[in-house]
Amino acid sequence: MTEAIGAAEADRALKSRHRAMWALGDYAALASELIPALGRRLVDACGIGAGQRVLDVAAGAGNAAIPAALAGAEVVATDLTPALLERGRQAAEESGVRLEWREADAEQLPFPDAAFDTVMSCVGVMFAPHHEATAAELLRVCRPGGTIGLINWTPQGFIGRMFAVMKPYAPTPPPGAQPPPLWGDEAYVRELLGEGVSELGMRREMLRVESFATPEAFRDYFATRYGPAIAVYRGVADDPGRTAALDRELADLARHHGDPSGSGAMDWEYLLAVGRRTG
């Protein structure tokens, strides 16, 4: 009993840190400026349209949820971070659509079994720390014959490599927490979803990003707007040497991935996975 209570308290503390981390900076602006195409791509790949009931898990500020609502679906958007949900509400109003916004943990979704026609997540659930629990929840709330759709950054792609660069500068993750980019590996996703899906199609695609004139511009943008990067920088703020090293490594990463023409454009690889819920 004591161990169970301790584990529950540790999980609450971990989720509290995640909630605070994603409220740092301005992820809503980052998503709308850099990756709006990803949400639309996922909605199209899932075949979302009028009359469908759709759940967007770890929806952030609605990068995929709002396009789904614009397609005519009845959409519920969930996220762990209330500040992002509020930004999503504002964006939805500006887009002229209505959808439901609910604070929820991807590992413990507050919905009955088989409640949705489509369950999706756009670079969201990959950041929940316990992957098996998250995958089980995605499957549980999707009706038999419904659609599971995911977009996740790959380990080998730019964002996956960015997390690898930041890892030595970040605190050691708690026991049981799993690296987010694993969700971008085909074999791993197939194992996570298992017999819960059929007709699982997966393909790696590229997102063209042309927002940064220099590698340093990319680094400075993420260091002030992206919650995980801000948290890592705060952790080394008292060590000028480590801060300078992190600065250098992030800029070098962007330089390595930049277009050889010198335009500053980059291609960010992601995995698109869409399958049919069995049962």
Side-chain angles (χ1 to χ4, degrees), residues 100-117:
E100 182 180 349
W101 302 88
R102 292 187 63 175
E103 181 179 348
D105 183 348
E107 299 174 8
Q108 294 179 311
L109 294 170
F111 306 107
D113 296 355
F116 297 92
D117 301 304

Side-chain angles (χ1 to χ4, degrees), residues 104-184:
D105 183 348
E107 299 174 8
Q108 294 179 311
L109 294 170
F111 306 107
D113 296 355
F116 297 92
D117 301 304
T118 297
V119 178
M120 65 178 182
S121 184
C122 183
V123 295
V125 294
M126 63 183 294
F127 294 102
H130 306 113
H131 297 178
E132 289 82 3
T134 301
E137 284 294 271
L138 296 178
L139 295 169
R140 182 183 66 78
V141 299
C142 186
R143 68 166 177 81
T147 300
I148 303 285
L150 304 169
I151 282 181
N152 297 310
W153 302 118
T154 66
Q156 300 84 6
F158 181 78
I159 299 297
R161 291 185 180 275
M162 184 184 73
F163 275 93
V165 165
M166 294 193 299
K167 182 178 179 179
Y169 301 90
T172 302
Q178 296 160 291
L182 287 176
W183 277 92

Side-chain angles (χ1 to χ4, degrees), residues 9-271:
E9 291 177 347
D11 187 66
R12 282 194 294 271
L14 175 60
K15 299 299 173 54
S16 179
R17 291 195 295 273
H18 274 228
R19 185 180 295 110
M21 179 184 70
W22 287 105
L24 296 172
D26 196 343
Y27 181 74
L30 183 152
S32 66
E33 292 167 5
L34 301 184
I35 62 170
L38 291 187
R40 296 191 294 269
R41 177 71 180 102
L42 183 58
V43 168
D44 289 344
C46 291
I48 292 171
Q52 295 184 21
R53 182 160 168 79
V54 175
L55 176 65
D56 188 0
V57 185
N63 189 42
I66 292 173
L70 288 168
E74 178 187 346
V75 182
V76 180
T78 68
D79 200 89
L80 192 63
T81 303
L84 291 178
L85 295 173
E86 182 56 36
R87 293 288 294 276
R89 289 189 188 96
Q90 296 169 9
E93 289 178 6
E94 293 169 3
S95 297
V97 292
R98 299 184 64 179
L99 54 155
E100 182 180 349
W101 302 88
R102 292 187 63 175
E103 181 179 348
D105 183 348
E107 299 174 8
Q108 294 179 311
L109 294 170
F111 306 107
D113 296 355
F116 297 92
D117 301 304
T118 297
V119 178
M120 65 178 182
S121 184
C122 183
V123 295
V125 294
M126 63 183 294
F127 294 102
H130 306 113
H131 297 178
E132 289 82 3
T134 301
E137 284 294 271
L138 296 178
L139 295 169
R140 182 183 66 78
V141 299
C142 186
R143 68 166 177 81
T147 300
I148 303 285
L150 304 169
I151 282 181
N152 297 310
W153 302 118
T154 66
Q156 300 84 6
F158 181 78
I159 299 297
R161 291 185 180 275
M162 184 184 73
F163 275 93
V165 165
M166 294 193 299
K167 182 178 179 179
Y169 301 90
T172 302
Q178 296 160 291
L182 287 176
W183 277 92
D185 178 82
E186 293 91 336
Y188 188 78
V189 172
R190 195 174 297 279
E191 182 179 353
L192 275 179
L193 298 178
E195 296 182 357
V197 295
S198 63
E199 305 173 32
L200 179 59
M202 292 186 282
R203 57 181 292 173
R204 295 188 177 215
E205 299 180 349
M206 291 290 186
L207 174 71
R208 188 74 164 175
V209 177
E210 301 177 304
S211 301
F212 307 109
T214 66
E216 290 76 18
F218 154 78
R219 177 199 64 207
D220 295 344
Y221 182 97
F222 267 67
T224 55
R225 288 173 177 82
Y226 192 56
I230 295 170
V232 170
Y233 268 102
R234 287 187 176 184
V236 298
D238 293 335
D239 189 330
R242 283 171 63 77
T243 299
L246 179 57
D247 276 346
R248 185 169 54 253
E249 289 195 48
L250 287 175
D252 286 346
L253 176 71
R255 188 172 293 109
H256 174 75
H257 279 263
D259 191 300
S261 70
S263 66
M266 293 183 282
D267 291 318
W268 296 1
E269 185 182 66
Y270 62 90
L271 179 68

